[in-house]
């Protein structure tokens, strides 16, 4: 049961252009959404998050959009840089139905390649 | 602030052998997670501790996997006996104490890459 889905395994973008990474979820009880970035041989690094009560959160070049009715979120990177080349994981958590603790479910990841 | 420390970084064993991984979370973080990441997949939660108590081990194969968190700080994950399908990266993560409506991002270690021959 894949509750968090990233349907694009890879994405290539030219340097300076916008990168858009997409994520869909099925569990309507998710109340917190996160994006992590992962370089080879390293652990995932937290990038940006959004609460279910918001529809947009921005941090520098990174913006996350949440569409609760469509159960869809996206990560926009503008402008894209070669150092952004990594695997991006979407994650979602549900703290209300998990006995009061935060239970996080990850997607399968999208490999972004930014071409110089 | 020191990050999450894991050891060893790499481990190669034969099937049916045993192996143990160690994790030292960020100081003061109450919640500790162990994830299994198989190539091409996202991290899958194996077990979650809040201080030294287990709050979720529903996806831990308890016939071969075990984990403990002594004194609510360091943690070890053990596999005995290992199977070929256990080949994966084992990630440890920690976060400050979480609760209903109180969400925190997780901080990950660099993982242990396990290969089963």
């Amino acid at each position: 049961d894949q509750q968090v889905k990233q349907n694009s395994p890879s994405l290539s973008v030219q340097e300076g252009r916008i990168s858009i990474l997409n994520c869909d979820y099925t569990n309507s009880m998710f109340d917190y959404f996160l994006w992590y970035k992962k370089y080879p041989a390293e652990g995932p690094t937290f990038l940006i998050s959004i609460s279910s009560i918001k529809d947009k959160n921005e941090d520098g070049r990174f913006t996350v959009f949440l569409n609760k009715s469509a159960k869809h979120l996206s990560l926009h990177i503008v402008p894209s840089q070669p150092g952004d080349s990594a695997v991006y994981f979407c994650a979602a958590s549900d703290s209300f139905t998990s006995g009061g603790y935060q239970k996080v479910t990850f997607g399968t990841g999208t490999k972004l390649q930014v071409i110089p | 602030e020191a990050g999450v420390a894991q050891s060893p970084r790499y481990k190669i064993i034969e099937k049916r052998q045993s192996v143990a991984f160690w994790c030292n979370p960020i100081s003061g973080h109450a919640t500790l997670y162990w994830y299994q990441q198989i190539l091409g997949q996202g991290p899958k939660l194996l077990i979650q501790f809040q201080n030294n108590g287990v709050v979720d081990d529903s996806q831990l194969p308890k016939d071969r996997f075990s984990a403990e968190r002594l004194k609510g700080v360091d943690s070890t994950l053990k596999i005995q006996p290992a199977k070929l399908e256990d080949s994966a990266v084992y990630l440890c993560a920690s976060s400050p104490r979480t609760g209903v409506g109180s969400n925190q991002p997780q901080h990950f270690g660099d993982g242990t890459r396990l290969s089963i021959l």
Side-chain angles (χ1 to χ4, degrees), chain A residues 19-30:
Chain A
S19 294
I20 300 176
L21 294 91
N22 294 304
C23 178
D24 297 296
Y25 62 95
T26 58
N27 187 345
S28 58
M29 296 306 295
F30 286 143

Side-chain angles (χ1 to χ4, degrees), chain A residues 56-114:
Chain A
K56 177 182 174 181
N57 188 26
E58 193 171 353
D59 183 1
R61 296 186 297 113
F62 302 91
T63 303
V64 56
F65 295 92
L66 175 63
N67 182 334
K68 282 189 359 181
S69 60
K71 294 191 176 68
H72 177 82
L73 68 156
S74 60
L75 174 68
H76 292 209
I77 306 174
V78 183
S80 301
Q81 299 174 354
D84 296 330
S85 297
V87 176
Y88 289 78
F89 290 100
C90 171
S93 75
D94 163 19
S95 61
F96 288 92
T97 60
S98 304
Y101 61 89
Q102 181 177 319
K103 181 170 182 174
V104 182
T105 302
F106 283 80
T108 52
T110 296
K111 185 175 183 178
L112 173 65
Q113 182 183 20
V114 180

Side-chain angles (χ1 to χ4, degrees), chain B residues 1 21 30 36 38 51 55 76 78 116:
Chain B
E1 168 181 87
F21 313 124
Q36 179 192 60
I38 293 173
N51 296 310
V55 295
T76 55
K78 296 179 182 178
I116 312 294

Side-chain angles (χ1 to χ4, degrees), chain B residues 1-112:
Chain B
E1 168 181 87
V4 176
Q6 288 190 248
S7 68
R9 286 301 311 274
Y10 304 93
K11 190 74 177 178
I12 301 173
I13 62 172
E14 294 186 349
K15 60 182 179 182
R16 291 189 290 275
Q17 286 188 324
S18 62
V19 64
F21 313 124
W22 173 82
C23 173
N24 181 238
I26 292 173
S27 178
H29 279 191
T31 310
L32 185 146
Y33 312 78
W34 281 103
Y35 287 90
Q36 179 192 60
Q37 186 177 14
I38 293 173
L39 189 65
Q41 299 181 18
K44 171 189 156 186
L45 180 69
L46 291 175
I47 189 167
Q48 181 174 342
F49 295 91
Q50 187 93 300
N51 296 310
N52 60 350
V54 175
V55 295
D56 188 347
D57 63 358
S58 57
Q59 299 190 91
L60 186 74
K62 298 180 187 62
D63 58 334
R64 299 184 299 107
F65 286 64
S66 64
E68 61 180 4
R69 189 180 183 193
L70 299 174
K71 299 180 181 178
V73 183
D74 291 8
S75 178
T76 55
L77 176 70
K78 296 179 182 178
I79 308 175
Q80 182 179 14
K83 290 186 174 181
L84 292 175
E85 63 257 34
D86 298 332
S87 292
V89 175
Y90 290 84
L91 294 162
C92 178
S94 70
S95 67
R97 183 179 182 86
T98 61
V100 173
S102 173
N103 295 294
Q104 301 281 349
Q106 299 170 0
H107 300 258
F108 283 84
D110 287 337
T112 296

